[in-house]
Amino acid sequence: MIRELLVSPFLSESETALWVTAEEAAHAAGYGSLRRRAEYLTWRALVRRRLGAGVRIAYDEVGAPVLPETPWYLSVAHCAGCVAVYLADVRCAVDVEPAVRDFHRVVDRIATPAERALSSDSRWPGVLWCVKECLYKYARRPGADFARDLRVESADLVQGRVDARAFDEAVSLTLRLDGEFTIVSIP
C-alpha cells in the first residue's frame, strides 16, 4: 500500500528547473500570473523529486493530471502559497485551502442543512468546501452537483476523519488542520 501526501510552499523557478521539461518551462512562461506559474512548476517538481526526473506527466480525458507509465495515481491541489500532491497506488484526491479563507458565503450552495449542522467549529465551512472539492476530483464526473451528488455523512475534526458518499460510493477522507492550511485527501 503506497500513499504519500507531498505538501510544499511554492518553489522558485531555479528550484524547479532540474525537475521540469523544457516544454513545461516554456508553457509556464506563457502564464501571465506568477502565482499560476509557481503552482504549475512546483507540483511537477514535487512529483519528479519523488518519482524521478524522467516521469512523464499527461492529462486524461477530464483534464486531470496522470502518470501514464507508472502504477501511481495522482491528485494535485494548490492555493495561495501552497501546493499539495497526493500519490497513491489507488484512485486518490486532494484539496488544500488557506485556513483563514472565509467559505461562509458559498457553503449554502454546496451543502445541505444536515451537512452544515455536522459541526459548529468555525473551520467547518472551509473543511466542508475542501471535502466537497476532494469528492468532486475523486468522482471524476464533470457537472456533479456538490450538494446532491457529493454528500458528507459524518465528520470528526479532532480525529481528522470524514465519511461521505460520492454518488453511491462510500468514501473515507482524511483531514489535516495545521493552522495555516486545511488539507483533505482520499484515501
Side-chain angles (χ1 to χ4, degrees):
M1 189 164 59
I2 302 166
R3 314 258 158 76
E4 290 191 46
L5 176 62
L6 310 172
V7 179
S8 175
F10 295 160
L11 301 174
S12 69
E13 289 187 40
S14 63
E15 291 172 302
T16 64
L18 292 174
W19 304 105
V20 298
T21 66
E23 294 81 15
E24 290 167 340
H27 181 80
Y31 287 125
S33 163
L34 293 177
R35 175 182 160 182
R36 179 68 186 111
R37 183 179 309 162
E39 292 166 353
Y40 178 88
L41 295 173
T42 297
W43 79 257
R44 282 166 169 72
L46 292 176
V47 167
R48 293 199 179 106
R49 284 195 320 201
R50 172 59 185 89
L51 300 179
V55 168
R56 188 168 78 83
I57 298 170
Y59 291 90
D60 68 11
E61 64 281 353
V62 295
V66 294
L67 303 170
E69 286 98 27
T70 76
W72 293 88
Y73 289 83
L74 165 72
S75 184
V76 176
H78 36 75
C79 64
C82 186
V83 172
V85 174
Y86 199 85
L87 297 166
D89 57 352
V90 295
R91 188 169 51 135
C92 61
V94 68
D95 195 49
V96 60
E97 290 292 345
V100 297
R101 186 171 169 197
D102 183 5
F103 286 93
H104 287 89
R105 291 189 321 233
V106 299
V107 78
D108 287 341
R109 292 192 315 257
I110 65 160
T112 66
E115 289 171 325
R116 292 192 301 273
L118 286 173
S119 177
S120 60
D121 190 299
S122 63
R123 300 170 295 183
W124 181 237
V127 169
L128 194 52
W129 173 264
C130 283
V131 167
K132 296 284 185 144
E133 281 284 321
C134 204
L135 288 167
Y136 181 79
K137 290 178 182 181
Y138 184 78
R140 305 177 53 73
R141 293 192 195 179
D145 182 283
F146 276 42
R148 183 186 66 242
D149 301 325
L150 311 172
R151 299 173 312 280
V152 178
E153 296 176 337
S154 67
D156 185 332
L157 275 58
V158 173
Q159 295 296 315
R161 182 176 169 89
V162 177
D163 292 311
R165 295 193 85 69
F167 293 86
D168 291 323
E169 182 180 354
V171 181
S172 293
L173 300 94
T174 302
L175 166 65
R176 186 170 113 186
L177 299 167
D178 71 2
E180 192 173 353
F181 296 100
T182 299
I183 302 172
V184 176
S185 60
I186 303 168

